[in-house]
Each structure stands twice: as structure tokens, then as C-alpha cells.
Amino acid sequence: MSLDFSIETPFVTLVTPTYNQGRTIRQTIESVLSQSYPHFEYWVIDGASTDDTLQILSDYRSDPRLHVISEPDRGQSDALEKGLKRSHGLLWNWINSDDYLLPDALLSLHETYQRFPEARIFSGITEEFEEGQPEKLNPIRLQLRSDPSHSIAVGVFCQPSTFWKTETVRALGGIHPALHYVMDWHLWVRYLCEYGHEGIALIPQALARFRKHPQSKSISQGSGFHAEAATIYRALLERARAPETFYSELPSAFSKESIFPSALTFRCFSAKSFLKAYADKKIRIFHKRGDHRAALHWLWISLRKAGGLTLWRLKILIRSLWRKLFS
């Protein structure tokens, strides 16, 4: 295979981690191999599937762009690290075996790269859909707020449509091996802590579709996502020297030393801004749930420890008190 490393036509690496996803992986593979942009390689890292995944992969063995590794692994993050170590591309991303790229996704990436070659991240739109209802699409974009610490607190990352400079992923420490659910958001958190909102190029087109189905981890193992995200929030709160009241219901499975690489400088992480954003996030969650007692509790914390009274907090305070008194 002839690899094109030129700046004008950046070589792209795509990785698909998979295990027993024979039901959907063909659509994923076809969506990659049918891209109109030719300068890419594609790694499928299979965890020794026992279904028909390997048979499906064998149907594409003549395509020189596709490379397959099939062996036992320690989960999705381990598979992604295997793919990252073998990547030749200037740009890098992964597409899970129940999701797929849209036509001309890599061409849109290429066109954006031409305009912003100095960027480190190139992020388009992901169209989320329920299995069986492909016509009902929910567009998801990269969430950027007023400053990096507020963007961290949102807790959302648009992974399928966000491509990275490969060197940036490696400089941030790669994919954390102990994380099995929020490894993508964790990478985004590290980026925001180190680079802030610098070097982000937004792509106005949809690049991928994310399938929601009963067997997907985001639905069948939702508690795992919450637990891992909570450990990352705890590490950030520890770094921000948050008061003890901020740690309610947060596990302590990881320390800030183990969840973040020692080389990370946190030069774009503001403790004050993060505490304010985190308190507002908790207020918003409980207010939306109708748990006005908890919302008022976090309002009190925010007034004392995280930035004082704002117009938004005042509105929530009035609404919560009203509903608490008259519900």
C-alpha cells in the first residue's frame, strides 16, 4: 500500500474496535471503504469474536486499506491503543462497529484541514438515531462553552465525528487503559485542560451516525458511564481544591495522579471557573428532575463556595422556592 503523507492530502487513520458485532459491522466497514477521499488506512481490532465477525471481515481481505487484528484483549480501550500504536495517519479517529461514517465524511474533513492545517481537532456533526428509526435524527455537536472549564463540566463529547491530529492524541497520553466507557470524553477533558479552546476547527457537515440500540454500552451499561465520569469529576475537583461539600456521592476509585498523566500541565484549567460550572451543572440536573430540595442545596453551595449569586442562579432559586412551597 502506498501511503500519502503530504500536507496537502493528509493521510487519515480510522480504527474500529469490535467484539461480536457481526450484526452491524458490515455497515461500518462499508461506510469507511466507500469513502470518496482515498488517502486513509483502516484498522479493525477484534477481540477474538465468536460470532460471524471474522467471516464478514474476510470478505474484504483483498482491500489493501483494511488491516485486521483478531486476538483477546482487555476491552475497547485496549483495542484502541493497539490501533493507535499502528497508526500512520496525520489525522486519527475511531468508528465503533455499530456506528458508521456518512458519504464524503473524509472529504469534508480534508476540505476543513485545507483551511485550518494548524488545528489539532476537526469536529463535525454526529447524527444520533434509534435503531429501527433511521429517519429520526438528533444532531450532536462538540460542546464549547464560555471557557474550557465550563466545556469540561458539560460532560459531553461528539466522538464519531471528531478527528484528531495523531501526535496530539499521543502527546495527551493516548487512551486510558482503565476506562471502558468514557475514554473519549476523558481524552477531550485532557485536551481542554492542556490546550483549552485553541486549535479546534468545526466542520458544519454531518460526518457520522451513532446508533442507539438495546445492546449498546451507552444503554445497557449506563451505570458504568456514570461511575467513570464521576471518578474523573472527583479528580478535577481535587485539583481545584473543592470544599468537601462538592464530593457528595462521588466515588474515589481513581486518584488525580492515576487518571491524568503526569506530563499534563493543566495550563488552561481554571479551578474557580470549574467549581462554578460544576455547581451550576448539579443545580441544573436536580432542577430538571424536579428535586427542588437538592437543587436548593446546590444553590446554597454555589452561593457560598462557587462564585456567588448570578442572574441564572437567581431565576432557579425563585423557581425552586416557588415549586417547593406550592407543590
Side-chain angles (χ1 to χ4, degrees), residues 227-243:
E228 286 190 354
T231 61
I232 295 170
Y233 277 128
R234 170 174 279 275
L236 291 168
L237 289 170
E238 289 176 358
R239 178 152 195 105
R241 301 182 183 275

Side-chain angles (χ1 to χ4, degrees), residues 33-274:
L33 297 182
S34 64
Q35 289 293 307
S36 56
Y37 184 78
H39 305 295
F40 71 89
E41 64 178 356
Y42 184 32
W43 289 88
V44 176
I45 314 297
D46 174 66
S49 290
T50 57
D51 65 353
D52 60 345
T53 295
L54 292 179
Q55 179 59 48
I56 293 170
L57 288 169
S58 70
D59 294 342
Y60 302 92
R61 60 181 176 270
S62 62
D63 194 314
R65 299 169 298 178
L66 177 64
H67 311 275
V68 177
I69 295 175
S70 182
E71 61 188 17
D73 58 35
R74 296 187 298 276
Q76 184 178 3
S77 292
D78 186 32
L80 290 171
E81 271 295 293
K82 289 179 182 180
L84 181 61
K85 288 177 181 178
R86 291 165 172 82
S87 296
H88 298 96
L90 177 69
L91 305 178
W92 186 85
N93 194 16
W94 73 91
I95 184 77
N96 290 325
S97 51
D98 48 1
D99 304 327
Y100 59 93
L101 293 182
L102 289 169
D104 297 325
L106 296 187
L107 184 60
S108 296
L109 171 67
H110 165 70
E111 290 170 349
T112 302
Y113 179 85
Q114 296 300 303
R115 296 195 298 273
F116 307 103
E118 73 288 347
R120 300 183 183 93
I121 287 179
F122 304 83
S123 186
I125 298 167
T126 295
E127 295 177 337
E128 180 185 80
F129 70 97
E130 299 275 354
E131 188 168 55
Q133 297 181 321
E135 71 284 354
K136 296 182 179 179
L137 301 173
N138 176 34
I140 302 172
R141 295 170 174 82
L142 197 64
Q143 299 294 302
L144 299 174
R145 294 296 188 262
S146 57
D147 66 60
S149 297
H150 278 71
S151 295
I152 290 171
V154 173
V156 176
F157 180 61
C158 186
Q159 181 273 311
S161 296
T162 302
F163 289 76
W164 301 74
K165 287 277 182 68
T166 307
E167 63 182 15
T168 298
V169 178
R170 288 172 174 157
L172 291 171
I175 307 300
H176 198 293
L179 296 174
H180 301 287
Y181 302 98
V182 299
M183 69 289 288
D184 52 349
W185 177 65
H186 180 240
L187 186 62
W188 173 230
V189 168
R190 282 178 281 159
Y191 183 91
L192 290 169
C193 288
E194 191 69 12
Y195 302 109
H197 291 159
E198 300 173 2
I200 299 172
L202 299 180
I203 303 172
Q205 292 84 20
L207 304 186
R209 286 191 177 163
F210 173 84
R211 185 195 317 264
K212 296 178 68 176
H213 58 95
Q215 292 77 39
S216 63
K217 288 201 300 185
S218 57
I219 294 178
S220 64
Q221 302 175 50
S223 60
F225 285 86
H226 292 302
E228 286 190 354
T231 61
I232 295 170
Y233 277 128
R234 170 174 279 275
L236 291 168
L237 289 170
E238 289 176 358
R239 178 152 195 105
R241 301 182 183 275
E244 190 61 33
T245 48
F246 276 74
Y247 296 95
S248 59
E249 301 179 3
L250 285 178
S252 56
F254 295 99
S255 69
K256 59 180 180 294
E257 288 78 17
S258 64
I259 201 66
F260 292 114
S262 57
L264 199 68
T265 67
F266 287 88
R267 66 184 179 89
C268 294
F269 177 76
S270 165
K272 182 179 179 180
S273 179
F274 179 72

Side-chain angles (χ1 to χ4, degrees), residues 279-303:
D280 284 349
K281 177 185 180 72
K282 300 294 285 187
I283 295 167
R284 189 175 289 108
I285 288 172
F286 288 116
H287 183 72
K288 185 175 180 180
R289 289 179 186 172
D291 188 343
H292 304 300
R293 182 182 296 274
L296 287 169
H297 170 72
W298 274 98
L299 270 165
W300 176 243
I301 292 173
S302 69
L303 292 173

